């Protein structure tokens, strides 16, 4: 059982993991090319894909998904997706143990789908990218342990 992607096609966990990796790679290319707004948007989108991969991990292949739960997953709200993935308590414990991860999450949770329409500064875009990709304290590094 996968999550519906654009055009009504199902997107499974492996595809969401692949998308997360590709989008963060795309973000880096855009930042190197000084496309701050696009890089910012795709970096945040990578986290959204990673969180949805964590949600997909919860799905049982022979189990019909609960409609209310599935509808809640149709969001771009990163804190809400974290909760839907069942990771909120573990993540909060990790945040308490790792102040750098907490600082990184503070930057990441500010991302919204609407950022695709906004102009973003170099500093804000690079800060988000680093908050996501930091090897020891990055949000994506933490999510990969749970997807």
């Amino acid at each position: 059982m996968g999550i519906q992607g654009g055009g009504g096609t199902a997107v499974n966990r492996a595809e969401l993991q692949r998308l997360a990796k590709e989008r963060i790679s795309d973000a880096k290319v855009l930042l190197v090319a000084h496309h701050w707004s696009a890089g910012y948007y795709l970096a945040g989108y990578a986290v959204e894909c990673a969180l949805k991969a964590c949600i997909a991990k919860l799905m049982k292949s022979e189990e019909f998904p609960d409609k209310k739960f599935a509808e809640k997953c149709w969001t771009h709200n990163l804190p809400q997706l974290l909760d839907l993935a069942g990771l909120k308590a573990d993540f909060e414990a990790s945040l308490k143990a790792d102040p750098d991860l907490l600082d990184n999450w503070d930057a990441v949770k500010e991302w919204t789908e609407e950022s695709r329409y906004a102009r973003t500064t170099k500093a804000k875009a690079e800060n988000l990218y680093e908050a996501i990709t930091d090897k020891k304290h990055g949000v994506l590094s933490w999510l990969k342990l749970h997807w």
Side-chain angles (χ1 to χ4, degrees):
M1 182 73 45
I3 294 173
Q4 294 295 316
T9 58
V11 180
N12 64 27
R13 182 174 162 226
E15 180 68 6
L16 288 161
Q17 291 170 341
R18 185 189 66 74
L19 282 169
K21 292 174 187 175
E22 281 186 10
R23 294 306 165 258
I24 200 63
S25 178
D26 294 344
K28 183 175 185 177
V29 170
L30 288 164
L31 294 175
V32 168
H34 302 233
H35 295 283
W36 316 123
S37 299
Y40 179 89
Y41 174 71
L42 281 186
Y45 188 60
V47 175
E48 178 182 329
C49 291
L51 284 164
K52 288 182 176 179
C54 294
I55 292 169
K57 184 179 179 179
L58 300 175
M59 303 293 117
K60 307 286 189 255
S61 63
E62 301 297 320
E63 184 179 291
F64 196 76
D66 176 73
K67 183 178 179 182
K68 287 182 182 179
F69 178 79
E71 287 173 349
K72 288 179 186 176
C73 294
W74 281 88
T75 183
H76 305 282
N77 181 299
L78 301 183
Q80 184 178 341
L81 289 169
L82 182 70
D83 190 33
L84 291 167
L87 296 172
K88 190 173 181 180
D90 287 346
F91 194 60
E92 286 176 355
S94 293
L95 294 176
K96 286 180 183 175
D98 184 351
D100 291 329
L101 179 61
L102 176 60
D103 289 343
N104 287 337
W105 177 242
D106 284 343
V108 171
K109 71 181 180 184
E110 296 301 315
W111 179 90
T112 67
E113 177 191 19
E114 288 79 25
S115 66
R116 66 185 170 192
Y117 303 112
R119 306 268 317 154
T120 306
T121 65
K122 174 184 179 183
K124 185 174 180 180
E126 289 178 342
N127 184 52
L128 179 67
Y129 181 82
E130 290 301 320
I132 293 168
T133 61
D134 183 291
K135 295 283 188 223
K136 289 182 86 172
H137 311 283
V139 172
L140 188 57
S141 298
W142 190 91
L143 289 171
K144 285 180 179 180
L145 299 173
H146 302 278
W147 71 9

